[in-house]
């Protein structure tokens, strides 16, 4: 608890100047100072104590980044005097609280609410660092201030902007599963139905028992298997902290992972998620198809990049523990020289021996604009450097494909669609 003066107290002190001019003596100054001090202290002591107030916070638990949410502070005054309050709710700036400071009067034994509106500007967890309440006396000369224990927490979820691409991919999925059944059996297919033989069908697909019963040639058709396991591993190392446009690479990685999760759920597959670098950070394991997308959005909201290199051997161990043989493994990590040389290439080769492997990489869109520059000599040199970087990425992608991985490399605005299309291509080919 601390007592502070208001500007009105200084004005009250100036009222004693005419008295000092009329009776210029030191006893007059001392007397006026004592009187002013007693009045200010009395005004402060008459004000209700901030610690006696009953504070209850009704804050939203979570909100999508880019949206807004409403909350309120409920202040109850149990004393017999009206409380003139100044309230400062110290949320971190990225929480986007509209009005951190408020002033209100709470009558005796009544309750008042302070309306609040949040518009977060950063994904993750936001909190109120302090709630400071100052109570002014009836004369407004002094205030008593104290920090009140009323913790607040708001979770800003990933906006999942790639959701708009889901309907088109679901239509393509339905075409693969229903309208265009696979005629030949392959890895990742299961029996669908019988139909009459037509020219062009593979004779190996003839069902001889059904043909004998019907006395006409009948063939089996196949469709992609359902209830397959998809394990998404998101790299949260220092490379995920690079800003691509207005957001870090990690946000685009989560966008791609969420679109794949939603699409796989529509296909009847089960999806798990791991976020790791040198240690595992977040895992979403065993969620139902209807709940997994919501669980992933909530779990990844507070995940931030770590300024360390990824331990790919740790990733290989985690994948071996959580994915049975034949599960689709998706590594969301940039195809860069630092990542490949830190151990990604040999680990990818081992994983690809036991699982279909997709590496989803988010490239820097600035490389494309720099590579197109021809305005002056400096722009030409920049274009040459950008082109060299692109050729290096292409070479690394080809090296990963040679060991059995499928590489989906695209800038942030196209990375989710590229990963979803790769998944659909594996479904269409009967590989999943």
């Amino acid at each position: 608890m601390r007592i502070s003066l208001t500007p009105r107290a200084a004005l009250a002190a100036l009222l004693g100047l005419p008295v000092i001019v009329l009776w210029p003596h030191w006893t007059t100054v001392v007397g006026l100072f004592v009187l002013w001090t007693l009045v200010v202290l009395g005004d402060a002591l008459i004000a209700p104590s901030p610690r006696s107030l009953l504070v209850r916070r009704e804050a939203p638990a979570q909100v999508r980044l880019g949206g807004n949410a409403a909350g309120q502070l409920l202040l109850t005054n149990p004393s017999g005097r009206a409380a003139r309050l100044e309230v400062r709710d110290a949320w971190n700036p990225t929480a986007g609280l509209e009005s951190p400071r408020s002033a209100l009067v709470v009558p005796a034994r009544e309750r008042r609410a302070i309306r609040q509106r949040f518009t977060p500007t950063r994904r993750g967890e936001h909190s109120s660092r302090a709630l400071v309440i100052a109570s002014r006396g009836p004369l407004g000369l002094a205030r008593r201030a104290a920090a009140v224990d009323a913790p607040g927490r708001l979770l800003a979820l990933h906006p999942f902007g790639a959701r708009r691409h889901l309907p088109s991919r679901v239509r393509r999925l339905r075409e693969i599963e229903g309208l265009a059944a696979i005629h030949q059996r392959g890895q990742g297919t299961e029996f669908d139905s019988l139909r009459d033989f037509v020219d062009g069908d593979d004779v190996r697909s003839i069902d001889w028992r059904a043909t004998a019963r019907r006395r006409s040639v009948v063939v089996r058709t196949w469709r992609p298997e359902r209830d397959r396991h998809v394990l998404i591993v998101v790299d949260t190392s220092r490379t995920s902290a690079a800003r691509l446009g207005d957001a870090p690479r990690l946000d685009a990685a989560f966008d791609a992972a969420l679109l794949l999760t939603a699409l796989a759920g529509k296909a009847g597959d089960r999806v798990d998620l791991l976020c790791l670098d040198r240690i595992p950070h977040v895992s979403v394991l065993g969620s139902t198809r209807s709940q997994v997308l919501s669980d992933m959005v909530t779990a990844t909201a507070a995940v931030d990049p770590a300024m360390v290199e990824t331990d790919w051997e740790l990733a290989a161990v985690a994948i071996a523990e959580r994915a049975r043989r034949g599960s689709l493994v998706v590594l969301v990590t940039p195809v860069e020289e630092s990542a490949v040389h830190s151990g990604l290439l040999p680990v990818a080769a081992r994983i690809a021996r036991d699982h279909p492997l997709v590496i989803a990489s988010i490239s820097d869109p600035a490389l494309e604009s720099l590579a197109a520059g021809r305005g002056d000599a400096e722009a030409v040199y920049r274009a040459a450097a950008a082109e060299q970087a692109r050729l290096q990425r292409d070479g690394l992608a080809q090296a990963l494909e040679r060991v059995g991985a499928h590489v989906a490399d695209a800038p942030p605005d196209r990375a989710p669609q590229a990963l979803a299309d790769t998944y659909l291509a594996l479904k269409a080919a009967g590989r999943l």
Side-chain angles (χ1 to χ4, degrees):
M1 180 80 67
R2 66 177 186 272
I3 297 177
S4 60
L5 303 180
T6 66
R8 188 175 293 185
L11 294 176
L14 294 178
L15 295 178
L17 288 179
V19 179
I20 295 174
V21 172
L22 293 176
W23 292 281
H25 196 268
W26 67 270
T27 56
T28 305
V29 175
V30 172
L32 289 175
F33 178 75
V34 171
L35 178 61
W36 177 83
T37 302
L38 292 175
V39 171
V40 169
L41 287 177
D43 189 53
L45 294 175
I46 291 174
S49 171
R51 297 190 187 279
S52 67
L53 299 174
L54 304 178
V55 181
R56 183 161 62 90
R57 185 187 295 275
E58 293 183 355
Q62 56 190 31
V63 60
R64 287 195 179 275
L65 188 64
N68 53 60
Q72 61 181 359
L73 277 174
L74 299 175
L75 304 176
T76 303
N77 178 16
S79 68
R81 302 186 300 274
R84 298 165 180 82
L85 305 177
E86 297 173 359
V87 180
R88 178 175 177 267
D89 199 0
W91 287 78
N92 54 295
T94 52
L97 178 58
E98 194 174 74
S99 301
R101 297 179 183 271
S102 305
L104 72 161
V105 177
V106 183
R109 299 182 181 85
E110 291 191 18
R111 184 175 68 183
R112 292 292 184 270
I114 299 176
R115 308 293 180 184
Q116 297 179 318
R117 182 169 292 277
F118 299 88
T119 308
T121 58
R122 177 183 60 81
R123 176 182 56 80
E125 185 173 313
H126 305 273
S127 60
S128 175
R129 306 181 181 217
L131 179 64
V132 180
I133 300 178
S135 176
R136 291 184 290 110
L139 300 179
L141 303 178
R143 61 171 73 89
R144 301 165 68 184
V148 178
D149 185 21
R153 178 180 176 273
L154 174 65
L155 191 63
L157 305 177
H158 192 283
F160 191 16
R163 185 191 296 271
R164 65 183 182 276
H165 302 294
L166 182 60
S168 61
R169 269 60 190 182
V170 171
R171 286 195 297 270
R172 172 64 179 148
L173 176 67
R174 296 295 175 250
E175 292 175 2
I176 294 172
E177 289 187 333
L179 300 181
I182 297 172
H183 301 321
Q184 295 183 3
R185 184 176 185 178
Q187 181 183 4
T189 59
E190 60 184 18
F191 176 74
D192 180 57
S193 61
L194 298 172
R195 63 169 177 78
D196 291 333
F197 180 89
V198 296
D199 291 340
D201 285 341
D202 191 336
V203 295
R204 291 174 297 180
S205 63
I206 296 175
D207 188 312
W208 295 106
R209 291 186 179 181
T211 298
R213 287 195 300 268
R214 294 183 56 179
R215 296 185 178 181
S216 62
V217 182
V218 176
V219 295
R220 300 187 187 97
T221 60
W222 311 88
R223 64 179 175 85
E225 288 185 16
R226 300 178 69 86
D227 198 30
R228 296 300 297 270
H229 182 217
V230 180
L231 178 62
I232 303 174
V233 180
V234 178
D235 177 9
T236 58
S237 67
R238 64 173 185 82
T239 56
S240 66
R243 294 196 70 83
L244 307 181
D246 297 330
R249 176 181 272 132
L250 185 60
D251 284 7
F254 284 148
D255 220 26
L258 292 174
L259 180 61
L260 177 59
T261 300
L263 182 60
K266 297 291 185 181
D269 293 338
R270 297 177 295 105
V271 185
D272 291 333
L273 174 75
L274 293 176
C275 298
L276 52 78
D277 38 70
R278 298 204 70 82
I279 60 172
H281 289 286
V282 165
S283 60
V284 178
L285 306 173
S287 295
T288 62
R289 295 190 190 98
S290 60
Q291 190 65 28
V292 62
L293 186 62
S294 174
D295 290 346
M296 282 192 184
V297 170
T298 304
T300 58
V303 177
D304 293 317
M307 297 296 105
V308 295
E309 297 288 350
T310 301
D311 185 349
W312 288 111
E313 291 297 332
L314 171 68
V317 172
I319 292 169
E321 291 176 349
R322 293 169 173 81
R324 67 176 185 267
R325 188 180 182 90
S327 300
L328 174 64
V329 176
V330 179
L331 300 182
V332 187
T333 184
V335 177
E336 293 184 351
E337 187 175 6
S338 60
V340 174
H341 288 178
S342 64
L344 174 59
L345 190 59
V347 168
R350 295 207 310 268
I351 295 173
R353 285 198 295 265
D354 299 327
H355 309 277
L357 175 63
V358 174
I359 296 180
S361 173
I362 294 90
S363 61
D364 189 350
L367 288 178
E368 296 184 8
S369 59
L370 289 175
R374 299 291 188 274
D376 51 25
E378 184 178 354
V380 171
Y381 278 109
R382 288 179 178 173
E387 195 63 40
Q388 184 179 6
R390 290 170 60 181
L391 290 174
Q392 187 180 54
R393 290 176 65 90
D394 292 342
L396 295 173
Q398 291 172 8
L400 290 167
E401 288 175 349
R402 282 196 295 270
V403 300
H406 303 269
V407 179
D409 188 18
D413 58 337
R414 299 198 300 271
Q417 304 94 287
L419 178 56
D421 291 341
T422 303
Y423 171 80
L424 291 174
L426 292 174
K427 282 283 188 184
R431 300 275 315 270
L432 182 63

